Amino acid sequence: MSNTGSCAPPGSENSAQQQPPSLKRSPTINTYDLSADDHHSARGRSTGKGQSGRRIRWAPLNIGLERRLQTLVVLCHTLTIAIFLTIFFFSCAIPLSWPVLIPYLIYISLFSTAATSGSLSGRSNFLRSLRVWKIYASYFPARLHRSEPLPPTRKYIFGYHPHGIISHGAFAAFATEALEFSKLFPGITNTLLTLDSNFRIPFYREYALAMGIASVSRESCENILTKGGTDGEGMSRAITIVIGGARESLDALPHTLRLVLKRRKGFIKLAIRTGADLVPVLAFGENDLYEQIRSENHPIIHKFQMFVKRMMGFTIPLFHARGVFNYDVGLMPYRRPLNIVVGRPIRVTQQKDREKIDDKYIDLLHASYVQELERLWEQWKDFYARDRASEMEIVA
């Protein structure tokens, strides 16, 4: 398949005539290599109909090496924290390592500022560009699209929607070069943000820093967007924030799109303080990767999830998808397409003094941001959300 082809979804015979020519995407990672067993099992689980939704269907033994590699890479990514914690505890069992581990633990717990300093000193473009990430992206497959080029003479805040369960699309598009972000947006250094608590996990923090991931704390965001870059004040830098956060993961139900956004205005204020333009990003398919128990049908479970969120900053969705060797039970995401569409930038006028930021200007930018998200949905829902059960909904 040509890398210069149209952006329409594979399998659409008339897509070249239907889709606007303005949207550009990264070169194709893979065609929709979706096995019949995996696809029908996922749909059966979602609808609760058919025999495939009532019994475990095992994967055949004659699956090709490419698909096995894709599954292995996604499995390792899903278990990344568990893998690094296992290595850490194994190291703790070796007394000879204690003179190194003890100072290391003290340092990352009390003194390290690598995740918030904005220096991005641990970032490794080599690690971000490894071939393994293209294998990861081809599992779904995932693709990155742009509405228009972004000049590297500005700074940007990418708002990623929706959160989903694990935000696989955000990782593929903005923490790696699997979808060739740097070719679609040349000259822009983008940083995916995550919870600050993740940088207190031994060994895992080094991996996250090397992948160019940073803390989502206010200090971190402001440092990235006001230090470094081509002018020493953040020019050509960008950050990606999953706006809906942990609360939105509870609404990550297949074939729906509920965005927790109405009262989320902190990122708007951040944009005004740093002078960063706002760029909405809509990930079609992110919510389709897992099945989840509907918390509104289980009040006790919902209360427990919200309690965990208040206490720990994250929540625990009760989800499942497929397994490594079966298509019905497990924590592996389904092989469903991910199409991550980057919208048009919303120009922001900088106001450094927090006390002088006009609430009306905040509301105006927020409304423009929501309007651009709605435009993306209306323009591409018939291409990338054909199986939707409802329209996009923006909630508090």
Side-chain angles (χ1 to χ4, degrees), residues 8-277:
S12 177
E13 295 179 354
N14 299 321
S15 57
Q17 289 76 24
Q18 298 174 21
Q19 59 112 21
S22 61
L23 188 69
K24 303 297 183 183
R25 68 170 173 81
S26 62
T28 301
I29 300 301
N30 195 7
T31 57
Y32 285 0
D33 189 15
L34 190 64
S35 74
D37 285 343
D38 202 4
H39 177 69
H40 293 305
S41 175
R43 291 292 295 161
R45 283 288 189 181
S46 177
T47 60
K49 299 177 181 179
Q51 187 178 3
S52 61
R54 295 192 296 267
R55 63 183 175 86
I56 296 177
R57 304 178 66 187
W58 299 98
L61 297 176
N62 60 345
I63 292 178
L65 178 61
E66 180 181 4
R67 290 175 68 86
R68 292 186 184 277
L69 284 175
Q70 292 169 356
T71 301
L72 175 62
V73 172
V74 173
L75 175 65
C76 290
H77 170 70
T78 304
L79 299 176
T80 300
I81 292 179
I83 291 171
F84 279 103
L85 280 177
T86 299
I87 296 173
F88 169 71
F89 288 123
F90 180 80
S91 301
C92 290
I94 305 174
L96 290 177
S97 68
W98 294 354
V100 175
L101 288 179
I102 293 175
Y104 169 73
L105 290 175
I106 295 174
Y107 172 72
I108 67 173
S109 300
L110 302 177
F111 301 107
S112 176
T113 60
T116 59
S117 66
S119 66
L120 307 182
S121 58
R123 184 186 181 101
S124 170
N125 289 327
F126 171 77
L127 182 60
R128 290 169 55 91
S129 302
L130 288 177
R131 169 66 182 170
V132 68
W133 303 124
K134 288 188 178 293
I135 297 174
Y136 170 83
S138 64
Y139 172 90
F140 303 99
R143 294 176 176 85
L144 180 63
H145 313 261
R146 77 178 183 197
S147 296
E148 62 182 54
L150 300 179
T153 53
R154 299 287 295 174
K155 57 185 83 170
Y156 302 95
I157 296 177
F158 290 86
Y160 185 89
H161 309 269
H163 183 284
I165 299 295
I166 300 182
S167 299
H168 286 286
F171 180 82
F174 301 112
T176 77
E177 283 296 321
L179 307 185
E180 301 188 340
F181 177 92
S182 62
K183 290 186 178 180
L184 282 176
F185 304 102
I188 296 176
T189 300
N190 184 62
T191 302
L192 179 64
L193 305 182
T194 188
L195 293 175
D196 188 69
S197 58
N198 288 333
F199 296 94
R200 300 293 179 264
I201 301 176
F203 296 176
Y204 173 78
R205 69 181 294 278
E206 318 306 329
Y207 165 77
L209 291 171
M211 292 301 296
I213 300 174
S215 168
V216 75
S217 67
R218 187 177 71 181
E219 178 189 8
S220 173
C221 294
E222 292 186 349
N223 284 338
I224 292 172
L225 294 174
T226 57
K227 299 179 180 179
T230 55
D231 64 349
E233 296 182 357
M235 182 183 292
S236 77
R237 282 190 167 186
I239 58 175
T240 298
I241 305 175
V242 184
I243 304 296
R247 174 64 185 85
E248 195 172 83
S249 66
L250 299 180
D251 293 324
L253 301 172
H255 315 301
T256 67
L257 189 60
R258 300 184 78 234
L259 306 182
V260 178
L261 183 58
K262 281 186 178 180
R263 293 202 292 262
R264 299 288 171 113
K265 298 182 180 180
F267 72 104
I268 304 288
K269 298 176 183 178
L270 173 67
I272 296 173
R273 289 197 303 270
T274 60
D277 293 345

Side-chain angles (χ1 to χ4, degrees), residues 214-367:
S215 168
V216 75
S217 67
R218 187 177 71 181
E219 178 189 8
S220 173
C221 294
E222 292 186 349
N223 284 338
I224 292 172
L225 294 174
T226 57
K227 299 179 180 179
T230 55
D231 64 349
E233 296 182 357
M235 182 183 292
S236 77
R237 282 190 167 186
I239 58 175
T240 298
I241 305 175
V242 184
I243 304 296
R247 174 64 185 85
E248 195 172 83
S249 66
L250 299 180
D251 293 324
L253 301 172
H255 315 301
T256 67
L257 189 60
R258 300 184 78 234
L259 306 182
V260 178
L261 183 58
K262 281 186 178 180
R263 293 202 292 262
R264 299 288 171 113
K265 298 182 180 180
F267 72 104
I268 304 288
K269 298 176 183 178
L270 173 67
I272 296 173
R273 289 197 303 270
T274 60
D277 293 345
L278 294 162
V279 185
V281 180
L282 199 56
F284 293 87
E286 184 71 63
N287 283 349
D288 300 341
L289 302 182
Y290 295 92
E291 305 288 345
Q292 182 178 181
I293 293 177
R294 296 179 181 269
S295 58
E296 64 268 22
N297 297 334
H298 303 273
I300 295 178
I301 293 176
H302 181 71
K303 288 181 180 180
F304 173 74
Q305 289 172 327
M306 297 308 295
F307 172 77
V308 172
K309 179 185 178 297
R310 287 194 299 269
M311 297 300 295
M312 306 183 67
F314 63 90
T315 190
I316 307 174
L318 297 181
F319 65 93
H320 80 89
R322 56 163 292 174
V324 177
F325 302 111
N326 75 83
Y327 297 116
D328 297 285
V329 180
L331 301 181
M332 287 284 293
Y334 290 123
R335 287 179 179 267
R336 293 180 176 177
L338 276 172
N339 285 282
I340 302 141
V341 184
V342 178
R344 298 167 183 166
I346 299 166
R347 191 66 176 258
V348 175
T349 301
Q350 186 174 12
Q351 173 56 264
K352 294 183 180 181
D353 189 344
R354 293 189 183 93
E355 304 301 324
K356 295 182 179 180
I357 297 178
D358 187 1
D359 289 340
K360 291 183 179 179
Y361 187 48
I362 294 174
D363 293 339
L364 175 64
L365 289 176
H366 189 272

